[in-house]
Amino acid sequence: MMKIRKNILWTPVLILTVFLLGTNGLFCQEKKEEEEALELELPKPMFVGTPRNIRTPNLEKITGKMRGPFYVPKGTQLLSLNKPVSSSDMMPIIGELEYVTDGEKSGEAGYYVELGPGLQYVQIDLGTSYHIHAILIWHYHSQARVYRDVVVKVSEDPDFISDVKTVFNNDHDNSSGLGIGRDKEYIETNEGKLIDTRGVKARYVRMYSRGNTSNDMNHYVEVEVYGTEVK
Amino acid sequence: MNKKAFAVLFGIILLIALFFRLSQLELRPMHHDEANQAVKFGNLLEKGEYKYDRFDHHGPSLYYLTLPFAWVLSGNDFSNLTEGVLRFVPSLFGVGLILFLLLLKDSLSLKSILFSALFISISPIMVFFSRFYIQEMLLAFFTMGFLASFWLILRTQKSSWHITAGLCAGFMFATKETSIIIFGSFLGSLVLLKALFSSETPPRHPLKNLISPRFFYLLGAAFLVWLVFYSSFFHHMKGLLDSFCSFGIYFKRAGGAGAHSHPWVYYLKMLMFSPYRTGPVWSEALVVISALIGSIYGFTKKPTIRENSSFIGFVFFYTLISFLIFSLIPYKTPWNIIPFYLGMLILAGCGITFILGLFQKLWLKTAVLALILITTFHLAWQSWRANFKYYADPRNPYVYAHTSTDFLNLVQRINDIAKVHPDHKNMLIKVITDPHEMWPLPWYLREFERVGYWTETKEVGKIKGTPVIISSKEQTEQLYPLLQGQYLSEFYGLRNEVLLSIHIRFDLWNRFLEKRS
């Protein structure tokens, strides 16, 4: 009899426990469902008609503000003008290698050299060693493009085997095999890409790229190397 | 020409057409418009939902006619669908329309039919848009069917041609509402035919032949197609009214074309001579000039030659009227060339027959034929170039706001990152772009469960912690401060001059690099 009474006493406790556990479980489940529901509320894409077909050259500045002043030591001069240029692709598809240092920076056809697909480089021989303070590169600025794996190296060795210094590298996944770079990708503009080389001493400058966002080719409108004589 | 030789040559032409249209259908990245159509079709495939949208994307036929092919080739699952399966549909219609030429054997010589078929099979434009998942090639197919059966009504008055013409007319409208321009051109052509070709050549009384009690068969068949397709098989009756309301919308768009406004010579220039900067030169002048010669031939009415000059006149007037209308409408896109170019392709076949008929001496005839075949080969070579080399290159005149091949590298990157994310394809992706820069992402991300699309960075909410963010150039500038140096950013080309950025959380990026090394 006592046992039955004890059981009767325990019954509401059991029911309450089961209820609380059940509700708790239910609430937990509801919470999960709510989370799922939230994710399903991600906005869907909007259906729209044909986008604009852009085929006209865009010589305007594409993004951001104008570049601010860049300070260099007094006496810094343009070293690369009309200096000899060599390349991994000595038979360019369009243009001549001389265009790289001819001082012409127009974005129109006839002012750029087009190198073959894949990883390619151009190399400038400054004639003698200089303290290089800045390198300015225009790949192709008549279109909003980004060139892949832009790597700039300088050296005293024309074969870039010894004494090589990397002054710019945005190959962040090392897809070109020249080492992982930490520099950012950038959109080509008529201002060119300015690289601060902090007075590094070298005679040869080599610039790599591996295609761009429009096609697999590599282009150069102009490269300018600024520096001072080594005393 | 004997019938056996004709059958063999026609068969070879069909094989050429199949080769050009079915090879490497997945080569070209999906165009913005193709992706729109594909995602809309995905809704129909998976959920059975389709509602006609009077503002965009044209008629329902493309989606419904894709269904059986998708069921057979890829099943019911949208994620299993491929570019190849989708493009297989217009490709097949692109080949099928050549068969309609056989219906014209009483109005055209076998030689003319063969040359027209050859031109259609290799024309760069016809091949390019046969490999494109939009409505154009379906419209071309039904237009050709309508042209042939309509002409047979005028000649034979058989009920079966009334029904065929009616079905084709119904499907033309169910494919593109703008087919009313084509109907108008056919009507104008019939009126001019009545006025200029009175009674010497059959059909002697075209309008009388047309307006008979059997004309209701044509109307009935067209009505049935319209009713079934625009009502989404009676599930969305509003579509019926909307199909007519769309006229106002398309009329307004045609006039104030905005981004797609081009001068009246746009199409003619594209056909005749189309160089682009440093790219190769493109021309389908062979077809245009031959069509012109074929039209002159039609008006000479030589009784000794088998061609029906009324039919050539009918096609000529149709081509001329539709060419003028499409050229005068400011809104122009390369695929809108097809309705009138079809007429040119038929006339070009007649033109070649006429040229060959001018020369009596065998050696001279052979020399001219050799010259024609060389220029035809050049056309085929251009077709190969347009479809297998410059398939997404802006230097190709038929490439219009096409997705860059570099975009596929972005898709590859997203897939690579998903592989190292614990949730894999359930990884959260936030896309922040203008709708015009959103596509074809929804198609390529169709296997991902959690993708959100916003147009403004400020509307996205929490940015921090999101595994992958994709943004347009404009939104990237607003996004950079919010990324707090926690992301690696890369650029990819979406289209000519249009870039997208991907921002990958550094922990995922490092995991990706580790896994790769």
Side-chain angles (χ1 to χ4, degrees), chain A residues 5-184:
Chain A
R5 271 188 189 171
K6 259 188 184 176
N7 284 345
I8 290 167
L9 274 171
W10 276 107
T11 307
V13 179
L14 264 168
I15 291 168
L16 195 68
T17 315
V18 168
F19 174 76
L20 283 173
L21 280 171
T23 354
N24 193 31
L26 209 65
F27 280 135
C28 285
Q29 208 180 344
E30 272 180 4
K31 256 189 181 176
K32 270 184 187 169
E33 274 172 8
E34 275 171 15
E35 280 170 5
E36 288 293 314
L38 260 176
E39 283 159 9
L40 287 172
E41 280 172 18
L42 288 168
K44 298 263 183 250
M46 288 180 229
F47 290 102
V48 284
T50 314
R52 192 171 149 236
N53 185 42
I54 307 169
R55 290 185 94 192
T56 47
N58 177 7
L59 294 168
E60 300 297 313
K61 182 155 171 54
I62 292 153
T63 181
K65 293 170 187 168
M66 291 291 284
R67 188 170 50 228
F70 180 74
Y71 298 100
V72 290
K74 273 190 178 173
T76 297
Q77 53 182 316
L78 175 62
L79 308 170
S80 54
L81 189 65
N82 296 324
K83 291 286 165 66
V85 181
S86 57
S87 169
S88 53
D89 182 1
M90 291 305 283
M91 301 276 280
I93 297 161
I94 298 169
E96 305 292 336
L97 288 173
E98 290 79 61
Y99 292 0
V100 177
T101 54
D102 67 356
E104 298 279 0
K105 297 165 206 162
S106 168
E108 291 164 36
Y111 292 93
Y112 66 85
V113 59
E114 181 177 273
L115 309 178
L119 185 70
Q120 301 284 358
Y121 70 81
V122 292
Q123 183 173 318
I124 302 170
D125 178 3
L126 299 174
T128 183
S129 292
Y130 288 94
H131 286 296
I132 300 170
H133 300 294
I135 298 173
L136 202 48
I137 306 171
W138 289 265
H139 279 107
Y140 187 92
H141 59 89
S142 61
Q143 225 180 39
R145 282 184 184 182
V146 173
Y147 280 79
R148 294 266 152 71
D149 301 353
V150 175
V151 180
V152 182
K153 290 173 182 276
V154 296
S155 179
E156 297 283 357
D157 175 8
D159 298 321
F160 280 73
I161 294 167
S162 60
D163 194 25
V164 181
K165 294 176 189 86
T166 302
V167 292
F168 186 89
N169 184 348
N170 67 10
D171 178 14
H172 43 256
D173 61 354
N174 196 23
S175 47
S176 290
L178 299 166
I180 289 185
R182 300 285 175 205
D183 293 299
K184 283 186 176 173

Side-chain angles (χ1 to χ4, degrees), chain B residues 43-316:
Chain B
N43 270 344
L44 179 64
L45 181 72
E46 284 198 329
K47 300 174 192 163
E49 283 174 13
Y50 171 78
K51 283 180 183 172
Y52 170 67
D53 172 12
R54 66 185 162 140
F55 292 98
D56 227 322
H57 304 101
H58 298 298
S61 70
L62 178 69
Y63 311 106
Y64 284 109
L65 294 176
T66 306
L67 266 181
F69 295 98
W71 284 332
V72 172
L73 298 171
S74 60
N76 273 332
D77 194 346
F78 180 49
S79 59
N80 287 341
L81 200 63
T82 63
E83 292 90 325
V85 172
L86 291 169
R87 288 172 179 161
F88 182 72
V89 181
S91 296
L92 223 54
F93 279 91
V95 177
L97 71 91
I98 298 172
L99 293 170
F100 279 123
L101 286 172
L102 295 175
L103 296 180
L104 301 169
K105 64 184 189 317
D106 291 330
S107 303
L108 290 175
S109 69
L110 296 182
K111 252 188 232 167
S112 297
I113 290 176
L114 280 180
F115 278 110
S116 293
L118 181 63
F119 288 147
I120 294 173
S121 73
I122 58 165
S123 155
I125 294 175
M126 296 302 283
V127 175
F128 194 85
F129 291 112
S130 290
R131 301 162 59 86
F132 212 97
Y133 188 64
I134 54 173
Q135 280 84 357
E136 302 317 306
M137 214 34 70
L138 274 70
L139 181 66
F141 174 86
F142 294 119
T143 303
M144 190 65 123
F146 179 75
L147 170 72
S149 47
F150 186 78
W151 185 252
L152 286 166
I153 293 174
L154 302 185
R155 280 179 71 95
T156 68
Q157 287 190 300
K158 277 187 186 168
S159 309
S160 54
W161 297 127
H162 282 86
I163 295 167
T164 312
L167 289 173
C168 286
F171 272 109
M172 280 167 73
F173 188 62
T175 303
K176 273 186 104 170
E177 316 82 334
T178 47
S179 56
I180 52 157
I181 297 172
I182 302 173
F183 291 126
S185 305
F186 276 126
L187 191 68
S189 174
L190 197 65
V191 171
L192 286 171
L193 188 75
K194 168 76 181 152
L196 298 170
F197 289 71
S198 54
S199 60
E200 283 181 29
T201 49
R204 292 191 173 175
H205 309 289
L207 287 178
K208 200 178 157 192
N209 288 357
L210 184 66
I211 305 160
S212 72
R214 285 178 188 161
F215 190 65
F216 287 101
Y217 292 155
L218 188 154
L219 290 179
F223 175 80
L224 198 69
V225 175
W226 167 77
L227 182 69
V228 170
F229 281 81
Y230 273 106
S231 68
S232 308
F233 284 78
F234 308 104
H235 284 98
H236 182 243
M237 299 308 277
K238 193 174 171 283
L240 297 172
L241 182 66
D242 282 351
S243 68
F244 295 113
C245 294
S246 69
F247 291 157
I249 293 153
Y250 283 104
F251 186 74
K252 204 180 257 181
R253 193 174 298 163
H260 305 292
S261 179
H262 297 285
W264 78 269
V265 286
Y266 178 77
Y267 294 129
L268 195 62
K269 213 173 141 195
M270 185 179 284
L271 286 170
M272 294 299 287
F273 185 68
S274 207
Y276 179 66
R277 290 206 204 166
T278 52
V281 171
W282 307 81
S283 172
E284 297 205 27
L286 171 70
V287 174
V288 181
I289 294 166
S290 304
L292 209 61
I293 294 168
S295 309
I296 295 164
Y297 167 41
F299 285 97
T300 59
K301 298 176 190 173
K302 282 193 174 177
T304 51
I305 298 172
R306 193 180 162 183
E307 244 85 12
N308 182 316
S309 54
S310 297
F311 177 70
I312 297 174
F314 179 61
V315 178
F316 169 74

Side-chain angles (χ1 to χ4, degrees), chain A residues 39-40 42-58 62-64 94 107 109-110 112 114 140 142-146 148 172-175 180 182 184-187 212-216, chain B residues 31-33 36 39-40 56-57 259-260 276-278 335 394-395 399-401 404 406 409 413 428 435-436 438-439 442 450-455 473 477 488 490-493 495-499 509 513 516:
Chain A
E39 283 159 9
L40 287 172
L42 288 168
K44 298 263 183 250
M46 288 180 229
F47 290 102
V48 284
T50 314
R52 192 171 149 236
N53 185 42
I54 307 169
R55 290 185 94 192
T56 47
N58 177 7
I62 292 153
T63 181
I94 298 169
Y112 66 85
E114 181 177 273
Y140 187 92
S142 61
Q143 225 180 39
R145 282 184 184 182
V146 173
R148 294 266 152 71
H172 43 256
D173 61 354
N174 196 23
S175 47
I180 289 185
R182 300 285 175 205
K184 283 186 176 173
E185 289 187 336
Y186 60 91
I187 301 171
N212 62 81
T213 49
S214 286
N215 53 57
D216 296 335
Chain B
H31 184 273
H32 168 109
D33 290 359
N36 265 259
V39 172
K40 271 186 166 286
D56 227 322
H57 304 101
H260 305 292
Y276 179 66
R277 290 206 204 166
T278 52
W335 45 85
R395 288 174 290 184
V399 164
Y400 191 84
S404 153
D406 191 47
N409 295 327
R413 186 66 96 209
L428 178 65
H436 275 122
M438 216 167 254
W439 296 88
R450 298 169 69 209
V451 188
Y453 296 88
W454 291 265
T455 53
K473 191 153 59 70
E477 286 170 32
L488 179 120
E490 292 180 306
F491 284 104
Y492 288 93
R495 293 189 298 271
N496 197 26
E497 300 259 17
V498 184
L499 298 168
W509 176 255
L513 286 183
R516 213 177 59 164

Side-chain angles (χ1 to χ4, degrees), chain B residues 459-474:
Chain B
E459 291 167 359
V460 180
K462 196 180 156 197
I463 292 285
K464 203 181 164 189
T466 308
V468 169
I469 305 161
I470 296 159
S471 60
S472 62
K473 191 153 59 70
E474 284 70 26

